[in-house]
Amino acid sequence: MSSGVHAFDVSIHPLQQRLGSKQSGVAAGCYSCHILHPETVSIPSWLSLNYSCTGSPQVWEARPSPGKGIGVFATRALEPGDIILAEPAIIKIEPPDFRDGAAYPLNSIESLLYSAFDTLSEEKQAEVMSLHAHLTPDEENQDKDSHMLVPIFRSNAYIVGKTLSELGLFPKGARINHSCRPNSSQVWIDKIGKRVVRAVRPIAEGEEIFATYIPLLRDQKSRQQRLDQYGFKCTCSACTQDRAAQADSDKRRSSIRKAFADFEPQLTLSVPQSINGRKKAEKNAAASVDLAKLVEEEGLADYYAQAYRVVALSHARIEKWDTATLWAHKSYELNLVADEDSPATLEMMALTQRFIQSWNADLYNKSKQEG
Ligand SMILES: [Zn+2]
């Protein structure tokens, strides 16, 4: 953009107006200049349609983080949903065999990497080469100056692209350190060609931004085993709790993982007809609320939308349309903030509409019976 004035990329779904959402957070950032605009923070998304962006200072800075090399810190207070940064890939490649589900074809992509790297300005090349890489024993013995690009890429690249068949490197986002209880989440948004990092909980000014590098529904020991590939010992708030709190956290994560797996086959819209089936579905609906509570208690914001979907579908199966609608909408809002076009967002939008219709039909039938 050359004018310096950007229109907000905001889409408002009729459901949000219909349900009177006050905290959708949709407009709490600008896809044009990719930063948060203070003037939109407390403004409902539907009002922000008329705002334009005149530029704003970035909301993060990279600086040393004790024991972690460099980290990324908030330069102002952030609310859940706020955009922290949105970054195009500095290098993006499509590995030849990646779609086949074969092993990561690192050797074959080396030449692709170097071709892409050679087109970068000196400044950008330096930015890439300043990133951290965890080296294999073989790489430790090689000439570091001429062989660092591959390990840097391997240590920091993410899957990107419309069909998720490409790999991209995001040097600014790569500075964000890991936590097993992260305060940000990242998603590739193909429409804007950027990886967007958002706050998933309130973040204070000066607080470090954390992302996760691994799946989080594992106990502390298993998480550390996964993190060994990155070459550091995790000292996040979840990994440095006292022994009792650690055991509780491990138990919660294991229960959450098991519950998600147990619920998976039951997440259909078919209403059980038998008395036993109905009883079981009622038990499951109650258990689904416990699952959402557990996920919130453990503070795993990346899993909130998935847990709320379970609650919504479990209540649809017992025709509790008011509860199903509210939880579907909660899940929809979280998905919408992350990526308005994702399959999850579209699914939750459709389910919310469907549940509202069933709810209306239910009320109509009841009033007819009464009247
Ligand atoms: Zn940790």
Side-chain angles (χ1 to χ4, degrees):
M1 286 263 174
S2 52
S3 69
V5 178
H6 312 146
F8 279 94
D9 183 355
V10 180
S11 64
I12 302 303
H13 190 270
L15 272 179
Q16 278 179 273
Q17 291 166 342
R18 187 165 166 183
L19 293 179
S21 162
K22 283 190 188 134
Q23 44 174 334
S24 83
V26 185
C30 170
Y31 280 153
S32 298
C33 68
H34 326 307
I35 47 181
L36 177 84
H37 297 295
E39 69 270 25
T40 69
V41 171
S42 57
I43 294 171
S45 54
W46 54 272
L47 271 179
S48 302
L49 278 171
N50 299 324
Y51 279 74
S52 8
C53 159
T54 50
S56 178
Q58 69 180 38
V59 299
W60 60 273
E61 62 181 2
R63 57 179 161 89
S65 171
K68 299 189 182 76
I70 300 288
V72 171
F73 294 81
T75 54
R76 50 159 294 147
L78 298 167
E79 290 300 318
D82 287 351
I83 293 177
I84 297 167
L85 75 101
E87 188 183 15
I90 197 167
I91 291 179
K92 192 162 71 165
I93 59 165
E94 182 159 7
D97 302 316
F98 198 63
R99 286 167 211 248
D100 297 338
Y104 201 54
L106 213 47
N107 289 337
S108 68
I109 67 172
E110 190 166 356
S111 64
L112 286 174
L113 261 185
Y114 275 96
S115 319
F117 183 76
D118 287 344
T119 65
L120 298 178
S121 67
E122 257 181 51
E123 195 189 341
K124 286 191 167 172
Q125 287 186 348
E127 194 178 1
V128 171
M129 296 314 287
S130 69
L131 293 176
H132 174 78
H134 183 54
L135 301 177
T136 63
D138 274 357
E139 287 164 347
E140 289 278 5
N141 297 324
Q142 284 178 336
D143 170 14
K144 297 227 170 40
D145 287 341
S146 58
H147 288 95
M148 284 302 286
L149 184 57
V150 169
I152 282 174
F153 195 75
R154 186 195 55 227
S155 305
N156 295 288
Y158 284 99
I159 295 171
V160 300
K162 194 164 191 158
T163 56
L164 299 180
S165 59
E166 296 164 278
L167 293 168
L169 187 66
F170 303 87
K172 294 180 176 63
R175 300 276 184 215
I176 299 175
N177 285 316
H178 166 86
S179 166
C180 303
R181 201 173 274 152
N183 54 14
S184 78
S185 70
Q186 310 189 13
V187 65
W188 169 257
I189 301 186
D190 201 63
K191 187 170 76 176
I192 57 165
K194 293 188 173 77
R195 194 167 167 84
V196 177
V197 182
R198 287 181 186 271
V200 293
R201 69 175 88 248
I203 298 175
E205 182 182 336
E207 194 178 333
E208 183 162 0
I209 313 285
F210 290 107
T212 180
Y213 300 175
I214 56 165
L216 293 174
L217 300 183
R218 299 276 162 190
D219 62 24
Q220 201 273 332
K221 208 174 143 201
S222 319
R223 295 200 303 272
Q224 186 55 58
Q225 280 167 357
R226 287 290 295 269
L227 288 169
D228 285 345
Q229 64 174 302
Y230 296 96
F232 67 89
K233 290 274 170 256
C234 191
T235 56
C236 78
S237 62
C239 290
T240 50
Q241 306 173 92
D242 64 48
R243 196 184 282 251
Q246 187 65 71
D248 288 346
S249 164
D250 283 351
K251 212 169 133 192
R252 274 195 295 271
R253 288 181 195 231
S254 146
S255 304
I256 294 166
R257 191 176 79 247
K258 187 170 178 304
F260 275 133
D262 289 349
F263 269 108
E264 199 48 50
Q266 304 157 28
L267 296 179
T268 68
L269 289 170
S270 64
V271 175
Q273 297 305 315
S274 69
I275 292 176
N276 276 347
R278 173 91 192 179
K279 268 188 188 158
K280 200 175 158 214
E282 273 169 11
K283 230 171 125 185
N284 285 335
S288 72
V289 177
D290 293 340
L291 167 65
K293 272 189 208 150
L294 268 187
V295 176
E296 286 174 353
E297 211 177 311
E298 189 59 14
L300 296 177
D302 267 6
Y303 296 87
Y304 289 176
Q306 193 187 342
Y308 299 166
R309 174 178 180 269
V310 172
V311 183
L313 284 164
S314 301
H315 283 81
R317 295 194 75 218
I318 55 168
E319 299 172 287
K320 288 266 183 210
W321 301 117
D322 48 352
T323 312
T325 302
L326 291 173
W327 287 88
H329 188 253
K330 267 164 82 100
S331 180
Y332 165 69
E333 280 196 315
L334 289 178
N335 282 304
L336 181 68
V337 167
D339 179 359
E340 64 188 18
D341 295 321
S342 74
T345 306
L346 300 179
E347 185 205 13
M348 294 321 297
M349 182 171 85
L351 285 180
T352 308
Q353 282 170 325
R354 186 174 170 155
F355 296 164
I356 286 176
Q357 281 164 5
S358 301
W359 188 6
N360 279 336
D362 208 29
L363 287 175
Y364 177 74
N365 289 338
K366 275 181 190 151
S367 69
K368 254 176 77 176
Q369 279 163 15
E370 282 162 13

